[in-house]
Amino acid sequence: IYEEYATFFKGQGCEYFSIGFDEYTYRSGPEEKAPYMNVLNRFLNQKGLKVRMWSDGVTKSNASSIDKNIEIMYWFRNEEEAKNDAYASVPELQELGFKIVNANFYYLFFIPSSTSVTEESLSKTVNDIKNIWTLEKWKHNLDSTLESKDNILGAMVAVWGEDSATISSNVILKQTKDMYNAMYSKLK
């Protein structure tokens, strides 16, 4: 499967390939996942692709054994996960030499659904990005900021469509564009 998609994406001019690892659990522990991450990374590197993955698979116990050229898209769903000491933090990943994309769940995720797509909710999201979020704010909406931007590549808006069947594609496009523009204006 990776061979097929690597060929397809590289043929489309893509530079990056996400291997996920946000929902890869099965019964293996963090130490058992790292070798597989590295195998996928090296295979895709040979195909001319840079590898990215979600931060869920990177823990304090396996971070040092993961290839450092894998770029980490860092997010967390809620305060409890953000406080969990098992996961490697952005400062720890910076110290290990990983390059990181800030994908702060609280500010930069858009999950369109019939309950989340209200004028008030959409407006609040964009205003929060404009007025509160910064590139250094990586941990949910908690008061935690990075001391340094070393190895921080930038940020991304993530849009998840699994609950969006009843939402107009025009609404999704407009909100995504508004969030992206608010985020981008803070990165200049």
Side-chain angles (χ1 to χ4, degrees), residues 138-149:
W138 58 275
K139 197 178 202 184
H140 191 61
N141 66 339
L142 304 175
D143 187 25
S144 58
T145 55
L146 299 173
E147 293 180 19
S148 157
K149 292 182 189 176

Side-chain angles (χ1 to χ4, degrees), residues 55-97:
S55 54
D56 307 45
V58 186
T59 64
K60 292 179 190 297
S61 65
N62 74 2
S64 62
S65 61
I66 297 171
D67 289 346
K68 301 307 177 271
N69 69 325
I70 297 176
E71 297 175 1
I72 308 297
M73 299 176 292
Y74 204 94
W75 77 290
F76 276 103
R77 253 189 311 276
N78 57 46
E79 291 183 32
E80 287 310 308
E81 285 185 8
K83 291 177 185 175
N84 184 337
D85 280 340
Y87 296 106
S89 69
V90 171
E92 290 166 332
L93 295 174
Q94 286 175 300
E95 190 173 312
L96 287 169

